[in-house]
Amino acid sequence: MTREIPRRASRRDILKVGAAGAAFAAAPAIWTSQSFAQAVEGKTIGFTMSFSNTEWIKQQQAGVEETAKKYGLNAVVYDAHDQPAKQIRDIEDLIVRNVDLIIISTYYAEAITPAVKEVNQAKIPIVVLSSPLAEGTDFACHLATDTMATSRSAGEYYVKKLNGKGMVAQIEGKPGSLINQQRGKGWREVIEKHPDIKIVGHIVANYDRTQAIKGMEDMLQANKQIDAVYCHNDDMALGAVRAAKEAGRKDQMWFTGYDGLTVEALEAIYNGDLEAVWEYLPFGVEGVEAAVQILRGKPIQKTIAFESPLITKANVTEWYDPEARKRKVLPSRLTF
C-alpha cells in the first residue's frame, strides 16, 4: 500500500485554479486517449474507501492491491476511517497527484459529491465499486450487484422454507448504506405479503459481529419464538448464531447472511450453523481489471451487474475446500 502523503497547504488552491485539470486540458477524455491504448504498466491508480473495518472491505482492498501488482500498476490507497470529510480530502489529493484513474468505494455518495465533480473536471476516469455515486456526477464504469433482485429472492427463500408461516427477525447493517437499505427493502416487500410470517425483532448492528451478538441476545429475551434470522452480512449472522448457541436456542431457528467471503462463514454453512448466504463480490479484482480496460482505451459497459448466487450446504464446496479449510480462489467474473 502506498502511504498517505502529508496534506499540502496548496492543495485547495491547486484545485481552485484547475492545475490538476490543466495536465489533461490538451488531451481528450482519458478513456478515449490514444496513449492508453498502450500497455498500462507503470501507470498509477488511486483507490479511496470510506472505511476498512469489515471483512468485505478488507477483501476489496486486497483485490485492488494484488491485481494492481499483477498489471504493474502503482496503487495509492486511502482509508477515510468512516469520515466523509476525510474521503473528500483523499479524493482531492489523488487529483493533485495526477493519478491516471480513481477507484471509488463509498458509503457517503451524497457527501463526497463535490470531490467527485472535481475528478470529473480533471477528466480522470472513475471506476465505482458497489454503491453508486450521487446524481450529477460521472464515471467510466460502475460494478455492482442487483441487490434488490437478490433481496427479493431472499424473501422468497424465507417464504418457501417457512411454508408461509413463522416468526422472523432482521439484523441490518449501516443505515446510510444504499446496499444495506436494498437488502432490507426487497426482503420485506416479499415477507410483508405473507401475513402469517411476522417480523418480531429488528436491530441495527452496523455490520459488526459484537453489536449483532448483543442485539440477538435482546431479541431472544424479548421473544419466546424465533424461527429464522435474516442478517445483512455474514459477520452479523455469525454473531447471531453465537448468541443463540449461548442461550441454548440455536436448534430452534436458522440463519442467513450475505457476502460468502470468509472461511469462517463458509465453514459454518458446511457444518450447518448457517443455513445460507448470498455471495456479494467485493469487486476489488474486477475493479482493477475494469480500470485496465479503460486505461488501454478499450470499450467497456458503463454499468456491469453481477449475479449474487445462493450458497447453501448443497453447493458450498464450490467455494470452500473442507479438507484444506480454505476458500477456493475463484476467477474474475469480468469477461471482455
Side-chain angles (χ1 to χ4, degrees):
M1 179 193 304
T2 303
R3 292 183 179 178
E4 298 186 17
I5 59 174
R7 302 297 176 198
R8 303 183 186 184
S10 61
R11 172 167 50 83
R12 284 282 181 182
D13 293 334
I14 291 172
L15 290 168
K16 285 178 181 177
V17 300
F24 299 90
I30 284 180
W31 49 89
T32 60
S33 172
Q34 287 296 319
S35 63
F36 290 109
Q38 302 169 4
V40 299
E41 186 173 356
K43 296 190 182 298
T44 299
I45 61 171
F47 174 52
T48 166
M49 54 189 160
S50 295
F51 50 81
S52 61
N53 58 355
T54 69
E55 185 59 35
W56 188 83
I57 293 288
K58 289 175 184 176
Q59 293 210 23
Q60 183 180 85
Q61 178 181 345
V64 167
E65 293 175 340
E66 292 168 8
T67 312
K69 288 180 182 177
K70 171 184 172 182
Y71 286 101
L73 291 163
N74 300 311
V76 181
V77 177
Y78 283 146
D79 179 354
H81 302 296
D82 214 6
Q83 301 172 48
K86 184 178 184 305
Q87 189 161 34
I88 289 173
R89 295 195 301 270
D90 293 343
I91 292 170
E92 290 174 342
D93 280 346
L94 291 172
I95 298 171
V96 172
R97 280 174 172 252
N98 287 344
V99 298
D100 298 298
L101 181 144
I102 298 175
I103 299 175
I104 297 178
S105 175
T106 187
Y107 282 75
Y108 309 110
E110 293 289 345
I112 69 169
T113 293
V116 175
K117 287 184 175 180
E118 289 174 353
V119 178
N120 293 157
Q121 291 169 2
K123 300 190 184 301
I124 300 174
I126 295 172
V127 173
V128 185
L129 306 186
S130 190
S131 294
L133 299 178
E135 291 185 9
T137 58
D138 196 17
F139 55 89
C141 182
H142 177 203
L143 304 178
T145 293
D146 190 343
T147 305
M148 281 297 293
T150 301
S151 62
R152 291 188 184 110
S153 295
E156 291 164 1
Y157 183 88
Y158 271 67
V159 171
K160 183 176 180 180
K161 188 166 178 64
L162 292 166
N163 293 317
K165 184 177 182 179
M167 306 293 187
V168 300
Q170 179 185 7
I171 302 179
E172 68 165 288
K174 284 183 175 288
S177 162
L178 177 63
I179 300 302
N180 172 70
Q181 294 167 14
Q182 291 178 339
R183 286 180 180 181
K185 183 178 180 182
W187 180 78
R188 280 179 170 267
E189 282 180 1
V190 176
I191 295 297
E192 289 170 357
K193 291 177 182 177
H194 297 269
D196 289 333
I197 300 179
K198 309 291 185 183
I199 300 176
V200 297
H202 171 258
I203 65 164
V204 175
N206 295 297
Y207 295 124
D208 181 77
R209 187 179 307 198
T210 301
Q211 293 182 47
I213 291 171
K214 179 62 170 64
M216 188 67 198
E217 288 172 346
D218 293 342
M219 287 195 293
L220 289 168
Q221 290 176 4
N223 298 279
K224 292 183 178 179
Q225 179 185 349
I226 299 177
D227 298 303
V229 184
Y230 176 70
C231 305
H232 289 205
N233 81 342
D234 296 342
D235 258 3
M236 295 189 299
L238 292 168
V241 168
R242 175 178 164 180
K245 281 184 175 181
E246 291 176 351
R249 293 177 59 181
K250 166 64 177 63
D251 293 339
Q252 299 173 13
M253 61 197 74
W254 47 273
F255 305 78
T256 65
Y258 272 92
D259 295 342
L261 297 177
T262 67
V263 168
E264 187 178 6
L266 296 172
E267 192 168 57
I269 295 172
Y270 186 79
N271 293 334
D273 283 338
L274 279 182
E275 170 70 19
V277 304
W278 283 268
E279 184 192 44
Y280 192 80
L281 288 176
F283 304 111
V285 172
E286 289 80 4
V288 175
E289 291 189 339
V292 168
Q293 188 81 348
I294 294 162
L295 293 175
R296 285 176 173 167
K298 303 295 185 181
I300 191 168
Q301 291 176 249
K302 192 156 180 106
T303 299
I304 303 174
F306 296 86
E307 292 184 356
S308 191
L310 177 64
I311 305 174
T312 67
K313 190 166 185 176
N315 67 355
V316 68
T317 53
E318 294 179 28
W319 285 264
Y320 174 63
D321 182 342
E323 293 185 4
R325 297 187 68 183
K326 291 183 178 180
R327 190 183 195 277
K328 294 181 178 179
V329 178
L330 301 179
S332 168
R333 301 292 177 85
L334 272 182
T335 55
F336 293 117

